[in-house]
Amino acid sequence: MFVTNQPPVDLSSATKLRIEDLNVYYGSFHAIKHASLLVPENCVMALIGPSGCGKSTFIRALDRLHDLTPNARVQGRVLLDDEDIYAPGVDPVSIRHRIGMVFQRPNPFPKSIFENVVYGPRIHGERNRKTLLAIAERSLRHAALWDEVKDRLDKPAMTLSGGQQQRLCIARALAVDPEVILMDEPASALDPIATSKIEDLIDDLKREYTVVIVTHSMQQAARISDYTAFFLMGELIETDTTAAIFTKPKDRRTEEYITGRYG
């Protein structure tokens, strides 16, 4: 029987996330089955697999977003710097402060560009205008958007292009100083030019953050990730360096997916 979920870890890097025997249920449906994964610090981990295989369900469990889903339940452990985010007494809001999420489609609030970025800091009690302006500039610079919007921060976020809106959502996630950024197919609704900008941004972000990205594109995973995890029918089949997954996969099912025999 093939033993899954044993990714190699660069011992020079600390482990930022450790997922142990994770199970996710929607009612009686077993969506994620006994998945275990190590995510090193300051890397990009890509989650790949055919549609409906559990990638989005898995990544949402890393931010306790299933707490907000009726009939969903999570079993197992997700450790962020050795702290179990599902332990009794852990505040989900504090976890979402440390782990940011960017969704598939840009979802800016019906507010100005500035108010979108500083929404999180305001929620956490920051009121000083000078501090908020500094947070907005820093976050927008990190999201490679500052030069494009610095003269129109008071304009509605909805006036931005789709790619700019997605980078604005990334800036909004960065504004609360997270340690991990989760991205669920962040470029799937964007054109090739906007996609390229998002990919360049992800490469820059890993210098300061740990990034876990769900992608429907194997080419994108190959371009931007250091590690890749392959999911199939709710199971984490194989994890390795991206180079190894795409050139020397250990599991036949991974090879069949990579070579396009299904999916």
Side-chain angles (χ1 to χ4, degrees), residues 42-223:
N42 298 115
C43 77
V44 178
M45 169 75 76
L47 311 182
I48 65 170
S51 297
C53 68
K55 304 184 299 294
S56 293
T57 296
F58 180 84
I59 202 171
R60 288 172 67 87
L62 306 186
D63 204 18
R64 290 196 57 166
L65 289 178
H66 294 300
D67 291 14
L68 309 174
T69 305
N71 300 318
R73 56 192 172 94
V74 177
Q75 297 175 347
R77 301 207 305 166
V78 177
L79 287 86
L80 173 62
D81 290 336
D82 296 324
E83 176 187 1
D84 185 2
I85 71 172
Y86 283 96
V90 173
D91 181 8
V93 175
S94 70
I95 294 302
R96 295 182 198 122
H97 186 102
R98 298 176 65 191
I99 302 177
M101 184 76 171
V102 178
F103 295 95
Q104 180 174 3
R105 293 189 176 276
N107 60 341
F109 301 142
K111 299 174 179 287
S112 70
I113 295 169
F114 174 76
E115 289 298 336
N116 264 269
V117 179
V118 302
Y119 180 83
R122 282 195 189 279
I123 289 294
H124 290 287
E126 184 57 64
R127 295 291 181 267
N128 184 279
R129 176 76 177 179
K130 185 176 180 180
T131 300
L132 291 172
L133 283 168
I135 290 171
E137 179 175 350
R138 184 195 71 228
S139 302
L140 288 165
R141 285 189 183 278
H142 280 179
L145 189 58
W146 173 252
D147 289 340
E148 298 171 41
V149 303
K150 62 183 178 182
D151 297 323
R152 49 182 174 138
L153 295 177
D154 60 337
K155 300 299 182 183
M158 297 301 184
T159 62
L160 298 175
S161 69
Q164 289 173 325
Q165 287 184 21
Q166 190 65 298
R167 282 182 283 149
L168 178 64
C169 292
I170 293 171
R172 190 173 66 198
L174 296 176
V176 294
D177 290 325
E179 302 162 42
V180 177
I181 303 171
L182 309 177
M183 297 184 173
D184 191 355
E185 299 198 29
S188 66
L190 305 180
D191 61 63
I193 294 175
T195 294
S196 178
K197 289 183 178 181
I198 294 292
E199 291 181 0
D200 289 343
L201 173 57
I202 290 170
D203 190 55
D204 289 338
L205 288 175
K206 75 176 182 180
R207 300 172 189 174
E208 297 184 42
Y209 308 93
T210 299
V211 180
V212 182
I213 178 172
V214 169
T215 178
H216 68 286
S217 168
M218 287 185 287
Q219 292 83 3
Q220 184 175 76
R223 285 193 299 266

Side-chain angles (χ1 to χ4, degrees), residues 3-9 15 17-23 32-39 45 47 58 62 75-79 228-231 234-240:
V3 179
T4 64
N5 309 333
Q6 300 297 325
V9 176
T15 297
L17 285 170
R18 180 186 298 269
I19 297 94
E20 298 178 347
D21 195 27
L22 185 72
N23 293 271
I32 296 293
K33 306 168 185 176
H34 306 287
S36 297
L37 180 67
L38 302 180
V39 183
M45 169 75 76
L47 311 182
F58 180 84
L62 306 186
Q75 297 175 347
R77 301 207 305 166
V78 177
L79 287 86
T228 295
F230 171 57
F231 283 80
E235 296 184 34
L236 176 50
I237 302 300
E238 183 174 354
T239 310
D240 209 325

